[in-house]
Amino acid sequence: MAYFPKHRGRRLRQTESFRRLVRETSLSVDNLIAPLFVKEGIDRPRPIISMPGQFQDSTQSVVEAAKKISDMGIPAIMLFGIPAKKDRTGTENFRGDGFISETIMMIKKACPDLILISDMCFCEYTEHGHCGVLNKDSAYQSSHLDPHYVCNDGTLELLQKASVMHVQAGADMIAPSGMIDGMIQAIRNALDESAFGHVPIMSYAVKYASAFYGPFREAAEGAPQFGDRKQYQMDICNVKEGLLEAKQDIAEGADILMVKPAMAYLDVISKLAQTVDIPIAAYQVSGEFAMLHAAHEKGWLDLSKAAVESLVSIKRAGANMIVTYFARDFAAGKL
Ligand code: PBG
């Protein structure tokens, strides 16, 4: 008869030392990336109401925030720019002497060792809030498409210009987040041709058209002014499509793949981790962060325990690194 050892479950759980000894997943500040928002034209940081403890920084305060993050031992930031003036093609994202290149330069001067990842997208820079140029405003205009369709190849050209400009200013990595087809290859080519072959690309490869980005739209002021992002972001019901996006982006030259959001897509992270050979990042997005804070404010759960549990779940699913608004609290030992 088979022998089922009694107490097997509990023998190794009896003390914290035993539990530490057999723990399979650990969280480390080494694998965290802190997002930062910089807004042109403000003179002091503005709190983001739906994201407690997070701010829209001014071009000065963002440098101080980056310095603190670096001093805490967090290896990287993800930088989002919010220009004072938006237009149809998002010019401020690729203007060489614009606020975003100035900001990148100042941060890198103050924190040379901090990895500055530039979120590369147009929704914060265009007046319509879509992640690229519209068909009607594009040099690649097609009469077969709706004038308001986000033009794929016209956007690629702008992504190339903006990426080269951000790297010239000092960005250490480019993270295209617009889900435009061919964006990795286009940016890789543009960087290689500009002698920036050493600069890696983190692709938001598997990004869903999610309701969990709600609070971010307040933070980055990039909500679409009409329609939604379902033409370019993925359908929340699909997994196979995500694996295909991932393979495609690896073939195009991505160095790191991202899944976004994290907590509602742990199955996708897990599948991808078993399928691909390059590092996987997961973005614990604004809605995930806001949700935990809101429940905590109501007294319904313990924020730090729930935050740690959610971060562990993302790691356990197979993510190598996590973009998270909890990065600073974790590094400060507040979680
Ligand atoms: C821009 C972008 C978004 C987020 C990161 N980059 C918003 C969106 O796609 O609508 C969301 C991040 C978050 O919710 O924390 N493309």
Side-chain angles (χ1 to χ4, degrees), residues 48-54 210-216 218 261-266 283-307 309-311 313-314 324-326:
I48 302 164
I49 306 302
S50 53
M51 299 168 70
Q54 305 295 307
S210 168
F212 288 97
Y213 308 149
F216 178 89
E218 177 199 343
M263 209 158 137
Y265 298 88
L266 295 176
Y283 200 139
Q284 182 183 50
V285 300
S286 57
E288 301 177 57
F289 178 79
M291 200 161 65
L292 294 175
H293 270 279
H296 168 72
E297 275 173 28
K298 290 216 171 235
W300 290 347
L301 51 71
D302 179 314
L303 179 64
S304 40
K305 286 191 183 135
E309 190 171 331
S310 67
L311 291 168
S313 76
I314 297 165
T324 174
Y325 302 99
F326 286 118

Side-chain angles (χ1 to χ4, degrees), residues 109-313:
K109 205 168 149 207
C111 328
D113 294 333
L114 183 69
I115 299 169
L116 191 155
I117 311 173
S118 253
D119 180 88
M120 180 49 60
C121 194
F122 278 95
C123 56
E124 302 95 348
Y125 291 89
T126 52
E127 60 194 21
H128 45 73
H130 277 287
C131 300
V133 65
L134 303 182
N135 188 30
K136 67 183 174 65
D137 300 323
S138 171
Y140 290 75
Q141 195 177 97
S142 158
S143 55
H144 302 292
L145 291 168
D146 184 298
H148 291 95
Y149 188 81
V150 171
C151 177
N152 201 81
D153 296 358
T155 303
L156 290 181
E157 222 165 69
L158 300 183
L159 285 170
Q160 289 181 310
K161 270 204 221 175
S163 300
V164 169
M165 205 236 21
H166 285 223
V167 172
Q168 262 160 358
D172 299 294
M173 178 144 68
I174 295 293
S177 66
M179 293 295 284
I180 304 299
D181 278 338
M183 63 184 184
I184 303 305
Q185 183 163 39
I187 293 172
R188 186 70 272 156
N189 287 345
L191 293 179
D192 290 354
E193 280 163 20
S194 313
F196 294 133
H198 61 287
V199 175
I201 299 176
M202 172 191 273
S203 176
Y204 285 69
V206 189
K207 175 171 174 179
Y208 288 88
S210 168
F212 288 97
Y213 308 149
F216 178 89
R217 309 237 162 123
E218 177 199 343
E221 301 174 16
Q225 298 304 303
F226 58 86
D228 52 37
R229 303 208 198 287
K230 290 182 183 165
Q231 286 173 359
Y232 38 100
Q233 297 181 350
M234 283 182 35
D235 189 310
I236 59 168
C237 303
N238 297 347
V239 181
K240 275 200 248 175
E241 195 186 344
L243 299 178
L244 188 64
E245 286 279 355
K247 273 191 219 146
Q248 174 89 25
D249 282 6
I250 293 175
E252 290 183 24
D255 300 282
I256 299 174
L257 293 179
M258 194 197 290
V259 176
K260 179 184 168 193
M263 209 158 137
Y265 298 88
L266 295 176
D267 58 326
V268 181
I269 296 174
S270 166
K271 281 232 171 69
L272 213 57
Q274 289 160 19
T275 318
V276 304
D277 305 325
I278 67 172
I280 296 173
Y283 200 139
Q284 182 183 50
V285 300
S286 57
E288 301 177 57
F289 178 79
M291 200 161 65
L292 294 175
H293 270 279
H296 168 72
E297 275 173 28
K298 290 216 171 235
W300 290 347
L301 51 71
D302 179 314
L303 179 64
S304 40
K305 286 191 183 135
V308 166
E309 190 171 331
S310 67
L311 291 168
V312 164
S313 76

Side-chain angles (χ1 to χ4, degrees), residues 14-184:
Q14 55 185 304
T15 62
E16 177 58 12
S17 297
F18 271 117
R19 293 192 290 272
R20 276 175 55 210
L21 191 66
V22 298
R23 196 158 279 156
E24 296 170 28
T25 308
S26 61
L27 279 182
S28 159
V29 70
D30 291 344
N31 311 118
L32 300 183
I33 299 166
L36 281 179
F37 301 98
V38 57
K39 183 171 163 70
E40 185 185 19
I42 58 173
D43 51 15
R44 65 175 63 101
R46 284 190 191 165
I48 302 164
I49 306 302
S50 53
M51 299 168 70
Q54 305 295 307
F55 293 85
Q56 286 182 330
D57 275 299
S58 70
T59 47
Q60 286 89 37
S61 70
V62 77
V63 179
E64 291 152 35
K67 187 114 204 355
K68 277 200 198 127
I69 287 171
S70 181
D71 290 345
M72 286 172 142
I74 299 170
I77 57 169
M78 175 76 83
L79 184 67
F80 296 92
I82 311 153
K85 266 195 281 139
K86 304 185 187 227
D87 60 16
R88 285 182 301 173
T89 55
T91 321
E92 286 303 311
N93 201 13
F94 48 83
R95 203 157 61 79
D97 54 354
F99 88 105
I100 193 66
S101 34
E102 296 262 305
T103 304
I104 293 171
M105 276 192 261
M106 302 221 308
I107 294 176
K108 282 308 292 183
K109 205 168 149 207
C111 328
D113 294 333
L114 183 69
I115 299 169
L116 191 155
I117 311 173
S118 253
D119 180 88
M120 180 49 60
C121 194
F122 278 95
C123 56
E124 302 95 348
Y125 291 89
T126 52
E127 60 194 21
H128 45 73
H130 277 287
C131 300
V133 65
L134 303 182
N135 188 30
K136 67 183 174 65
D137 300 323
S138 171
Y140 290 75
Q141 195 177 97
S142 158
S143 55
H144 302 292
L145 291 168
D146 184 298
H148 291 95
Y149 188 81
V150 171
C151 177
N152 201 81
D153 296 358
T155 303
L156 290 181
E157 222 165 69
L158 300 183
L159 285 170
Q160 289 181 310
K161 270 204 221 175
S163 300
V164 169
M165 205 236 21
H166 285 223
V167 172
Q168 262 160 358
D172 299 294
M173 178 144 68
I174 295 293
S177 66
M179 293 295 284
I180 304 299
D181 278 338
M183 63 184 184
I184 303 305

